[in-house]
Structure formats: structure tokens, C-alpha cells
Amino acid sequence: MKLRNCMEEYVGRYVDGVMSEVGMCCCDKCRYDVMAIALNNLPPQYTVTNEGALFNKVKAMDNHFRMHIIAEITKAAEIVNRDAKHYEKEEK
Ligand SMILES: [Zn+2]
């Protein structure tokens, strides 16, 4: 058994699509930055589960909930796209 935050699965599922739509840098740093901001703004969905049960839960997610998650990822992507902190680090 595992303790998992299902919200991480949900955000991980949609983050790549949102980032490519925004047309921003899609490196690991930006991806994790977007996920961190989105996850801080979304309610955690902790559950005790095994992998199979988690997968079923992800599939059962309703449309309104999914749109809410995508909206938060989009906001986070716009914040990261504006800041893009990693560029400064790479240039020094
Ligand atoms: Zn990047």
C-alpha cells in the first residue's frame, strides 16, 4: 500500500499539453516549476492505494474537476513562462 497525492498524477497528466499550448520552454526545470506552482494552488487529494486503484481513480475524474486542474496548470505555466529563472542560472 502507498500514500499518494492523486493531484500529482492529475497535474502530471495534463502539464505537457498545457505547456506546449502556451508555447513555452518545456525543459525539466520549467516542467517541475509549473507542477509545483499548480500543486500549491490545488487541493491535495491524498489516498491510500495501490497503483491499480490509483489508475482507476484517475480515469474516473469528472470533467469539471479536470477543467479546474487545467486552468491552474495554465496559470502556473504563464507564471513560469514569464520568469524563466533557469535561463539566468545557465548564463553565468
Ligand atoms: Zn526551461
Side-chain angles (χ1 to χ4, degrees):
M1 299 305 283
K2 283 178 181 169
L3 181 63
R4 294 288 299 270
N5 180 3
C6 289
M7 193 56 83
E8 288 184 23
E9 302 291 324
Y10 302 151
V11 170
R13 225 182 189 210
Y14 297 111
V15 68
D16 296 305
V18 170
M19 287 175 77
S20 70
E21 233 172 83
V22 169
M24 60 187 290
C25 173
C26 290
C27 72
D28 277 359
K29 172 76 171 83
C30 289
R31 189 173 185 273
Y32 283 128
D33 280 348
V34 171
M35 287 185 72
I37 293 167
L39 284 165
N40 282 336
N41 290 326
L42 287 161
Q45 298 279 315
Y46 280 104
T47 186
V48 178
T49 188
N50 57 44
E51 292 299 323
L54 181 64
F55 181 68
N56 287 337
K57 248 196 140 191
V58 169
K59 281 211 313 190
M61 179 167 42
D62 79 37
N63 221 38
H64 176 80
F65 189 49
R66 190 176 68 230
M67 294 315 291
H68 178 61
I69 292 167
I70 290 171
E72 287 297 337
I73 298 169
T74 303
K75 275 196 263 174
E78 282 163 0
I79 291 165
V80 173
N81 191 29
R82 225 173 24 236
D83 288 359
K85 287 174 197 143
H86 65 294
Y87 287 130
E88 292 162 35
K89 279 177 194 162
E90 280 166 9
E91 277 168 17
K92 72 178 170 186

